[in-house]
Amino acid sequence: MNRKPISLFASVSAALAMSLAISCSDHIPARDYSIPPMPAYASLTSNPKLPDPFLFMNGMRMTSKDEWKYRRAELAALAQEFEYGYKPNTPSSAVTGSFADNRVTVSVTDNGKTISFVCSITYPTTGSKPYPAIVGIGGSNLNNTALLNMGVAIITFPNNQVAQQTNGSSRGKGLFFDMYGSDHSASATMAWAWGVSRLIDALEKTPAANIDPARLGVTGCSRNGKGALTVGAFDERIKLTIPQEPGAGGAASWRISDAQLAGGKTVQTLSQIVNENVWFRQSFSQFSKTSDKLPFDQHSVLALCAPRALLVIENTSIDWLSPVSSWNTAHAAHKVWQALGIPDWMGFSQIGGHNHCALPDSQLPELRAYVEKFLIGTGTGNTSIMRTDGGFTVDESTWIDWTVPSLN
């Protein structure tokens, strides 16, 4: 890189250094700089716009593509500090895997305890071993027949065992919290992300499963779509992330959804979601009436998947998902892939006229193009996809006061 924009930052304490190691776990690149200490809530200032994803915490802006990994590490730390809770930096050596009857058993020994969970695998009857695979958070709601016919295996991840999500009383319950304590900062979605990372560790050590750990995608719908995004954002071994109708806490910006609610739309907002369930860390509720104080928004979380592939699937027929918010948020996130010179590595498809979590046939070509190109590795189809059937416009004048930098 041409410069180290973090060189002005003070050194961090041992405790913060530990948290930064956590925030960059599971194959986020090593850094040669220090992320600054996380700001306190009281020091955050109001910003009604979507925060600039290219602006470092020290006020300097990216000038080269290589700097994205450093800015991404900052965003990952901020997202964990304020929204998701921290993902433990569990070593791969703590994980073992075994395979039998089309199931992988993942065992983890850490923090003086051992937990195990089982992931079932549905194999294709075409393609070559070891197979690429899509991990479904609680299962896949994509066109699974089409995926199998493309030679892609489907792995079902038991997210509700790893971290419960029944309602607000579920906080701190599940295998993750049995290991790390019921008072751990991690939300349910971050606990699921940790669990999928441990699944990948196990697959890397279990060739009998006939799954290629270098060609893994992740998906999930609705609440599990929020989880799929968290998985893809915090483990670089996920090559393709496909959150399906994740709505608030997924594709929809907290700021824009608040504006939609104020305008009379029935959409899910931050103030509602923190009381409904445990998908975000407990302290996230402090932003219930101040989402504009967040030093990031969901466009930045989507961007944590860059430069890997991301396909967001949304639905214009369900107002609760805040389709206007998702449309604008996706365009803000897409600017990161644009700056990196790979705009066709991030797509957004928003089609209505169907039930929640039911993939219509009209979106199958887009799914196929992304899976073939980024997961199977042989596709040449069009992945330049930014479409909605809602007739929405992109309101940059209201939400964006920054430009896409020309990066070296």
Side-chain angles (χ1 to χ4, degrees), residues 178-210:
D178 291 343
M179 173 166 284
Y180 292 111
S182 60
D183 60 347
H184 195 281
S185 69
S187 59
T189 54
M190 185 56 83
W192 303 342
W194 172 89
V196 173
S197 291
R198 306 293 72 80
L199 166 63
I200 299 173
D201 291 339
L203 290 172
E204 290 173 341
K205 299 176 179 181
T206 313
N210 283 314

Side-chain angles (χ1 to χ4, degrees), residues 126 129 138-139 263 304 381:
T126 186
K129 303 174 183 178
L304 289 175

Side-chain angles (χ1 to χ4, degrees), residues 50 226 243-257 260 267-268 297-299 302 312-316 318-334 346-350 386-388 392-394 399:
L50 297 179
K226 306 179 203 304
Q244 183 181 4
E245 300 184 36
S253 156
W254 303 115
R255 287 168 169 83
I256 302 176
S257 293
Q260 287 284 293
V267 302
Q268 189 170 39
D297 210 317
Q298 291 306 111
H299 67 301
L302 293 171
V312 179
I313 297 174
E314 271 292 355
N315 187 341
T316 52
I318 302 176
D319 284 345
W320 190 245
L321 299 173
S322 196
V324 170
S325 179
S326 295
W327 176 245
N328 281 269
T329 304
H331 278 270
H334 188 256
M346 186 250 169
F348 180 86
S349 177
Q350 189 181 53
M386 295 294 291
R387 70 159 178 158
T388 180
F392 308 134
T393 59
V394 180
W399 299 112

Side-chain angles (χ1 to χ4, degrees), residues 101-104 118-123 134 154-158:
D101 300 323
N102 292 346
R103 302 190 305 172
V104 172
V118 177
C119 300
S120 62
I121 305 177
T122 302
Y123 289 95
I134 286 184
I154 300 170
I155 304 174
T156 298
F157 175 74

Side-chain angles (χ1 to χ4, degrees), residues 97-344:
S98 61
F99 176 76
D101 300 323
N102 292 346
R103 302 190 305 172
V104 172
T105 298
V106 181
S107 296
V108 187
T109 300
D110 196 19
N111 201 35
K113 299 178 181 178
T114 298
I115 60 99
S116 297
F117 56 89
V118 177
C119 300
S120 62
I121 305 177
T122 302
Y123 289 95
T125 57
T126 186
S128 302
K129 303 174 183 178
Y131 300 106
I134 286 184
V135 178
I137 305 302
S140 168
N141 288 88
L142 302 175
N143 188 320
N144 294 332
T145 298
L147 291 173
L148 292 169
N149 288 340
M150 283 188 274
V152 176
I154 300 170
I155 304 174
T156 298
F157 175 74
N159 57 317
N160 292 334
Q161 293 180 27
V162 174
Q164 294 182 22
Q165 56 163 341
T166 304
N167 50 42
S169 67
S170 300
R171 190 169 301 281
K173 296 180 180 179
L175 293 174
F176 173 92
F177 299 101
D178 291 343
M179 173 166 284
Y180 292 111
S182 60
D183 60 347
H184 195 281
S185 69
S187 59
T189 54
M190 185 56 83
W192 303 342
W194 172 89
V196 173
S197 291
R198 306 293 72 80
L199 166 63
I200 299 173
D201 291 339
L203 290 172
E204 290 173 341
K205 299 176 179 181
T206 313
N210 283 314
I211 297 296
D212 185 353
R215 293 188 295 166
L216 294 176
V218 65
T219 190
C221 191
S222 193
R223 59 180 60 192
N224 295 339
K226 306 179 203 304
L229 174 60
T230 313
V231 171
F234 290 97
D235 196 320
E236 284 196 295
R237 294 172 294 181
I238 295 294
K239 302 305 181 186
L240 172 60
T241 302
I242 311 177
Q244 183 181 4
E245 300 184 36
S253 156
W254 303 115
R255 287 168 169 83
I256 302 176
S257 293
D258 276 350
Q260 287 284 293
L261 181 66
K265 298 295 184 180
T266 304
V267 302
Q268 189 170 39
T269 61
L270 195 159
S271 61
Q272 186 279 333
I273 206 168
V274 295
N275 291 310
E276 178 184 348
N277 218 306
V278 294
W279 303 312
F280 306 99
R281 69 177 301 169
Q282 190 165 25
S283 60
F284 192 47
S285 60
Q286 66 191 325
F287 293 96
S288 290
K289 296 181 180 180
T290 56
S291 65
D292 58 353
K293 290 185 67 172
L294 279 167
F296 60 93
D297 210 317
Q298 291 306 111
H299 67 301
S300 301
V301 177
L302 293 171
L304 289 175
C305 295
R308 294 164 293 123
L310 171 69
L311 174 63
V312 179
I313 297 174
E314 271 292 355
N315 187 341
T316 52
S317 294
I318 302 176
D319 284 345
W320 190 245
L321 299 173
S322 196
V324 170
S325 179
S326 295
W327 176 245
N328 281 269
T329 304
H331 278 270
H334 188 256
K335 294 178 184 297
V336 172
W337 278 266
Q338 180 182 341
L340 296 175
I342 47 173
D344 59 341

